Amino acid sequence: MTRRARANVMLLCGSAIWGFAFAFQVMGAHVGAFSFNSSRFLLGAVSLLPLIAWVDRRSGVDRAVGRRRWRSVLGPGALCGVFLFGGASFQQIALADTTAGNAAFVTGLYVVLVPLVGILLGHRATLNIWIGALVAVAGLYLLTMTGGIAQMNPGDLLCLVSTLFWTAHILSIGYFARRIDPLRLAVAQFVAMSLYGVPFAFATEARPFADLGTAIIPILYAGVASVGLGYTLQVLAQRDALESHAALIMSLESVFGAIGGALLLGERMSGVGYVGAALMLVGIVVSQLPRRGQPHGPAIPVPEPPSTALEL
């Protein structure tokens, strides 16, 4: 197997890990959205520390430089953590009222929203992005609003709101990650997000953090596997993968989210829902197709799916 093929397999495994995380998030929904998220993102931060140590050794970074890099990410991490907190909180609350499959596809709209918002920031949008956006919106309607806008599932609506925060999060991370250590920034924002959730947990939940033991498997998967293992696979794979291929492979997270919901939770979509999901996937993929004459570049920055909430 070539290095590029191996990288693509690693990205596919990462996408599967991220997609199945939606099912585990549903399993942990009874704990309370803020307690669940605070716990899993703290675990995610801790799980990235060995990767940072390995990268530092590989790059010859000494302790003094490492400490300066940690200080440089505190402010940006706190800011990015705000957007991360909004996206993850709305998504987790939504999962009490929608399926893992629906949540995966609706959340996947951030892939289309990022370049559209980028237009306001002076970025150029390709025809593929506009076509992909229209197809994805049509799919969203079929998936979530078969009874009309007034009948939209509350969970689907909250997931849609979460995509606005994911979009802001991806753009802010895209800005900072080019200027400071992205791995340390990831840890900083995960810790910030975890801390932001604590007062909300005590203010809104009857038994904050009291029932974590009943959701230990979902928390471990959503924290250690989805963040630590999934992100490690992405970091290692993107050394050899083409960016355009990486973006397309990672967009399969939505498909794996639906598969995970079906296998682990017994979820099923209606016939119209399957058509809507298929259209959304087509729109997401089309929006990421490279421009003609630029076969190796992504149509948008390559985002890591919001189940891990980090874009590099």
Side-chain angles (χ1 to χ4, degrees), residues 53-300:
W54 177 79
V55 171
D56 282 354
R57 286 196 302 271
R58 184 182 179 90
S59 305
V61 175
D62 61 31
R63 291 185 178 181
V65 173
R67 285 194 293 269
R68 287 198 297 271
R69 290 184 178 182
W70 279 117
R71 288 194 294 268
S72 70
V73 302
L74 294 180
L79 175 61
C80 294
V82 171
F83 300 127
L84 175 58
F85 174 74
S89 297
F90 276 107
Q91 184 189 78
Q92 188 62 29
I93 294 170
L95 285 168
D97 293 310
T98 190
T99 65
N102 274 30
F105 279 103
V106 175
T107 303
L109 280 178
Y110 76 95
V111 176
V112 179
L113 287 177
V114 168
L116 291 180
V117 173
I119 296 173
L120 302 177
L121 303 177
H123 300 166
R124 298 171 62 182
T126 66
L127 179 61
N128 288 342
I129 290 173
W130 291 110
I131 294 175
L134 292 174
V135 173
V137 168
L140 175 67
Y141 181 85
L142 294 177
L143 180 67
T144 65
M145 294 186 289
T146 53
I149 186 67
Q151 300 298 318
M152 188 176 188
N153 185 297
D156 293 335
L157 180 59
L158 288 175
C159 275
L160 193 59
V161 172
S162 79
T163 63
L164 302 178
F165 285 94
W166 292 129
T167 299
H169 175 256
I170 288 166
L171 291 171
S172 62
I173 288 290
Y175 173 82
F176 289 117
R178 292 189 293 269
R179 294 164 171 80
I180 54 181
D181 187 327
L183 280 172
R184 285 176 169 81
L185 175 60
V187 171
Q189 66 164 346
F190 291 155
V191 172
M193 190 281 170
S194 181
L195 293 176
Y196 296 155
V198 171
F200 281 88
F202 281 96
T204 63
E205 297 172 7
R207 290 166 49 85
F209 301 100
D211 298 320
L212 294 181
T214 65
I216 189 65
I217 298 301
I219 290 173
L220 285 173
Y221 185 95
V224 178
S226 185
V227 175
L229 179 57
Y231 183 56
T232 300
L233 287 172
Q234 185 196 23
V235 168
L236 296 176
Q238 287 198 241
R239 294 181 302 173
D240 301 311
L242 295 178
E243 287 182 319
S244 55
H245 291 180
L248 293 172
I249 292 171
M250 286 191 289
S251 69
L252 293 176
E253 179 205 16
S254 297
V255 177
F256 285 115
I259 294 173
L263 293 179
L264 300 178
L265 304 174
E267 296 177 352
R268 296 293 185 270
M269 295 182 187
S270 65
V272 173
Y274 281 112
V275 174
L279 285 176
M280 291 189 70
L281 180 62
V282 169
I284 289 169
V285 170
V286 168
S287 72
Q288 296 188 71
L289 294 176
R291 294 190 296 270
R292 182 175 300 178
Q294 292 183 314
H296 302 312
I300 61 170

